[in-house]
Amino acid sequence: MPAPLRVLLTGATGFLGSHLLDALLNKGYEVVILKRSTSDGYRIQHLIDKVVSYDLDIQPLELAFKERSIDAVIHTAGRYGRDGCSIVKILESNVIFGARLLDACQKYNTNIFINTDTMLQPYLNNYSLSKKHFVDWLKQHSEGVQIINLRLEHMFGTKDDDSKFVSWVLSQLKSGVSEIRLTPGEQKRDFIFIDDVVSAFLTVLAKSETLPQFSEFDVGTGQLTSVRKFVERIAFLYHKTNPKSKTTLLFGAIPYRKGEAMSVYVDIENLKKIGWQPRISLDDGLSRIIRE
């Protein structure tokens, strides 16, 4: 089976989705995106004329499948719940919407569904629980559609929201606050730059014909770094180019979240076996977002 030619991408206006959209177009894929008419499209303004776009608040989801022969779906849309939204809204975004996509794939013979999952523990919060529930549904229905589930660790990069941890820390440094209140920072995470995450999606898409009907991959660098060391590195690199900055890092000023995992296990060997490698070093990635 040849590599998919037309990809339907959800979440294209978001952080991960916008980077994926750029990369898919550069690789020569035709891309159809699903969004809302009210979505803030600042990240993809320069790309919008190169894609076919459907507004889900105006047009039915199935219309994209009816009018276009979709070879693969890459599903990156999701709701974190940081805005205090209800459990129902999180389920609608992270489970029901994905299930509607899966139904459309089966109805219109779309062969491949690449899902964006998380390395977070299921019961950490409503977001992580909803993501794990959806993966159960994907496993249940993988006989009809090939499922590739990518479990992402802590990605960071340019054009991210200031509500995300890495961007928030940097925004605090740039705004010149006197102090940043943090946990003790002993928890270890695998911080991966967005370009390497995008290349993982492109790799599994290109190699999809060699993969089983259901496959799952961890996406990280394979290297754990404590949150404290990571934040200290951001501050060090920022202060190098902004020596007048006097922000103090107050580790231990706030407690850990309830259920906080102190370490994660990320196994990237299966991704390496199909030709993927992380290429952006921690310092390189941090330097890029500092220059942004």
Side-chain angles (χ1 to χ4, degrees):
M1 183 179 68
L5 298 177
R6 185 173 291 125
V7 176
L8 184 145
L9 176 65
T10 73
T13 61
F15 170 50
L16 171 58
S18 62
H19 284 276
L20 259 173
L21 177 58
D22 201 354
L24 287 165
L25 292 171
N26 283 335
K27 286 289 186 180
Y29 290 98
E30 295 180 40
V31 184
V32 176
I33 67 171
L34 301 182
K35 64 178 187 65
R36 294 187 179 278
S37 61
T38 56
S39 296
D40 187 346
Y42 78 93
R43 292 185 178 98
I44 62 169
Q45 284 178 346
H46 61 301
L47 302 173
I48 199 67
D49 292 337
K50 300 178 181 180
V51 302
V52 177
S53 177
Y54 291 86
D55 291 327
L56 288 173
D57 53 332
I58 298 172
Q59 300 163 299
L61 180 148
E62 285 196 5
L63 186 61
F65 290 86
K66 286 179 181 178
E67 294 186 346
R68 306 284 162 176
S69 179
I70 305 296
D71 296 302
V73 167
I74 299 181
H75 181 36
T76 75
R79 191 160 191 168
Y80 290 96
R82 295 191 183 99
D83 56 357
C85 66
S86 68
I87 295 172
V88 171
K89 288 188 180 296
I90 291 174
L91 289 173
E92 286 174 346
S93 296
N94 298 346
V95 180
I96 302 303
F97 177 50
R100 291 173 61 210
L101 284 170
L102 188 58
D103 276 346
C105 287
Q106 293 174 327
K107 183 175 180 180
Y108 293 96
N109 300 312
T110 296
N111 296 318
I112 300 164
F113 190 108
I114 301 176
N115 184 55
T116 308
D117 193 10
T118 175
M119 294 290 295
L120 294 174
Q121 294 175 312
Y123 297 102
L124 178 64
N125 54 38
N126 291 332
Y127 167 76
S128 59
L129 184 59
S130 66
K131 297 295 282 186
K132 298 308 177 186
H133 281 168
F134 182 55
V135 174
D136 287 340
W137 283 101
L138 290 174
K139 290 177 180 177
Q140 182 74 12
H141 293 277
S142 60
E143 289 185 5
V145 180
Q146 183 185 19
I147 304 296
I148 305 171
N149 189 51
L150 297 184
R151 293 162 21 106
L152 308 188
E153 233 300 75
H154 201 122
M155 63 180 173
F156 70 100
T158 56
K159 299 190 291 187
D160 203 357
D161 296 324
D162 283 348
S163 62
K164 304 284 188 63
F165 176 68
V166 178
S167 298
W168 173 77
V169 170
L170 184 57
S171 71
Q172 295 294 291
L173 290 169
K174 287 183 175 180
S175 62
V177 298
S178 60
E179 60 186 37
I180 303 177
R181 296 169 58 83
L182 300 153
T183 71
E186 298 164 317
Q187 64 272 52
K188 293 183 178 180
R189 297 291 181 265
D190 188 331
F191 295 95
I192 180 168
F193 193 67
I194 186 65
D195 290 12
D196 283 333
V197 175
V198 167
S199 71
F201 277 86
L202 295 180
T203 298
V204 299
L205 181 60
K207 298 294 182 69
S208 57
E209 72 264 25
T210 69
L211 300 176
Q213 200 63 17
F214 179 89
S215 56
E216 194 166 54
F217 298 92
D218 293 352
V219 182
T221 66
Q223 301 292 323
L224 294 183
T225 303
S226 72
V227 169
R228 177 168 185 148
K229 181 178 178 181
F230 183 83
V231 173
E232 288 174 339
R233 198 64 190 164
I234 299 175
F236 172 78
L237 293 172
Y238 180 76
H239 289 149
K240 280 183 68 176
T241 55
N242 300 271
K244 294 182 180 180
S245 176
K246 302 296 183 183
T247 300
T248 301
L249 305 176
L250 294 181
F251 292 101
I254 59 175
Y256 293 118
R257 293 180 296 181
K258 183 180 179 180
E260 180 78 75
M262 297 309 293
S263 187
V264 294
Y265 175 69
V266 183
D267 184 355
I268 62 173
E269 290 307 308
N270 286 334
L271 260 182
K272 287 183 175 181
K273 288 177 182 176
I274 62 170
W276 176 84
Q277 286 278 355
R279 302 191 182 281
I280 309 299
S281 70
L282 189 61
D283 276 9
D284 188 9
L286 291 175
S287 295
R288 293 188 194 190
I289 65 171
I290 288 170
R291 291 195 302 265
E292 184 183 17

